[in-house]
Amino acid sequence: MAPFNFTHSDASTFILMGIPGLEAAHIWISIPFFTFYIISLLGNVTLLSVVGKEQTLQKPMYLLLCMLALTDIATPTFVVPKALGIFWFNLKGITVAGCLTQMFFLHTISVMHSSTLVTMAFDRYVAICNPLRYATILTNAQIAKLGLVGFIRAVLFILPLPLLLSQQTFCANRIIPHTQCEHIALEKMVCGDIRVNRIYGYVLMFVINGFDLTFIALSYGLIIRAVLRISSHKAHQKALNTCTAHICVMLTYYTPTFFSILTHYFGQGIAPYVHIILADLYLLIPPMLNPIIYGVKTKELRDKVVKYTCRSSADTKFTQSSADTRDDISSGLQCPSGNCQIVREYVNQH
């Protein structure tokens, strides 16, 4: 069956092509897109729900995980629905304002994600290098303030990008060979002078990534130095285990980022669809893996997730069993479930 064609082509609309060169495989490509997105939503929503319900988890480390989970929900949500619209229904049109808005939120969330990783590195540094003052240095209120500072930083740094582009004149050919409104792709469509845009983009990339990675490297350098001073091998292992999950999360975030940047600037011989797929995986893989990594590596969180999952399953089974038993009592049949006394009391009360 031919796909629906709802593509518009007027002066205020861009055309997102999806993945040029792989149009015939769009339906198949949509399967991992959709699967990764659903797994990401389920994992991060579960994490937020468990931390919200469990009082013992409402402390700085897990509040940082909640901040990370919120960015992991937002990032693919700004990309996947539009990409699936292109893959499934050929909905390629997007307004200029919509495109600039998508670009702004994508980059803002990305910077916010990086800020959260920096705060998590600082959290691990204080926990290992200054454990006696951890409770006073990093309180829940302090984490909220650091999150607000990270959000304000992201907005202030990224807001000039769409503002500068909105002042430019775009060429007649408004086709974007991508699944998303990427800043570099939009720059290529500008007919005027974009030196200011490019300089600001480069400065932004080096300032944010440079500062964040330097701070993270410094934190872990101090952590390693503190761990090496500990004589006990068991203490070594315990201290490093507290950092393992965070290191894995950083690798899943920064590795695809650098591969995407390197292939864009130095991979001119690489097929265009490789650039697009790498850019999409950078937005899809980390949000899917992060809750899994922390669920596996953090015993306290893993235990609480299992607890609430089992409780939910048990509650569902008991509710169904009670309903069946009540029906049996009402019809005068013998109760087969073993919960007759409980249900009789329930029936008498209601």
Side-chain angles (χ1 to χ4, degrees), residues 62-304:
Y62 295 104
L63 292 182
L64 286 170
L65 285 184
C66 289
M67 290 168 53
L68 193 70
L70 289 173
T71 63
D72 285 340
I73 290 172
T75 299
T77 298
F78 287 117
V79 175
V80 174
K82 181 59 183 177
L84 293 178
I86 296 170
F87 296 153
W88 290 346
F89 307 112
N90 207 33
L91 292 169
K92 297 181 178 180
I94 185 171
T95 64
V96 174
C99 203
L100 293 175
T101 301
Q102 186 194 51
M103 183 197 73
F104 168 73
F105 279 112
L106 278 176
H107 289 296
T108 298
I109 295 299
S110 178
V111 175
M112 183 65 191
H113 190 109
S114 186
S115 298
T116 305
L117 293 179
V118 171
T119 309
M120 293 172 78
F122 179 64
D123 171 79
R124 291 300 85 202
Y125 161 73
V126 176
I128 293 174
C129 299
N130 206 346
L132 297 179
R133 296 186 59 199
Y134 180 84
T136 56
I137 295 175
L138 282 176
T139 62
N140 290 351
Q142 285 295 106
I143 293 298
K145 289 177 183 177
L146 289 172
L148 180 61
V149 169
F151 176 74
I152 293 173
R153 181 188 82 144
V155 171
L156 292 179
F157 277 146
I158 298 302
L159 189 58
L161 289 178
L163 292 179
L164 287 171
L165 283 173
S166 66
Q167 304 302 314
Q168 298 288 348
T169 302
F170 294 100
C171 300
N173 182 9
R174 298 192 167 207
I175 297 175
I176 303 176
H178 214 301
T179 57
Q180 56 182 279
C181 293
E182 200 178 42
H183 179 249
I184 297 173
L186 287 175
E187 278 187 345
K188 293 178 179 178
M189 298 171 58
V190 174
C191 291
D193 187 359
I194 59 170
R195 281 180 297 178
V196 175
N197 301 63
R198 284 185 175 174
I199 291 172
Y200 184 76
Y202 291 142
V203 170
L204 199 61
M205 181 177 66
F206 284 111
V207 167
I208 293 176
N209 290 332
F211 171 82
D212 290 357
L213 287 174
T214 300
F215 193 93
I216 290 171
L218 178 62
S219 296
Y220 274 95
L222 294 173
I223 288 171
I224 291 171
R225 188 181 70 172
V227 169
L228 291 177
R229 290 178 176 177
I230 302 173
S231 56
S232 169
H233 176 73
K234 186 176 181 180
H236 278 182
Q237 192 70 24
K238 185 176 180 180
L240 292 175
N241 280 342
T242 63
C243 302
T244 304
H246 184 230
I247 293 172
C248 292
V249 166
M250 285 192 300
L251 289 175
T252 61
Y253 178 74
Y254 286 112
T255 303
T257 302
F258 283 116
F259 268 111
S260 181
I261 292 172
L262 289 173
T263 55
H264 179 81
Y265 288 106
F266 305 106
Q268 284 76 14
I270 299 176
Y273 61 80
V274 175
H275 296 277
I276 299 170
I277 291 174
L278 283 175
D280 287 332
L281 290 178
Y282 153 67
L283 298 175
L284 287 170
I285 298 298
M288 180 186 67
L289 292 180
N290 288 346
I292 297 174
I293 291 171
Y294 273 102
V296 171
K297 290 293 184 180
T298 311
K299 184 180 184 301
E300 188 178 8
L301 178 61
R302 183 174 67 249
D303 292 344
K304 298 302 181 184

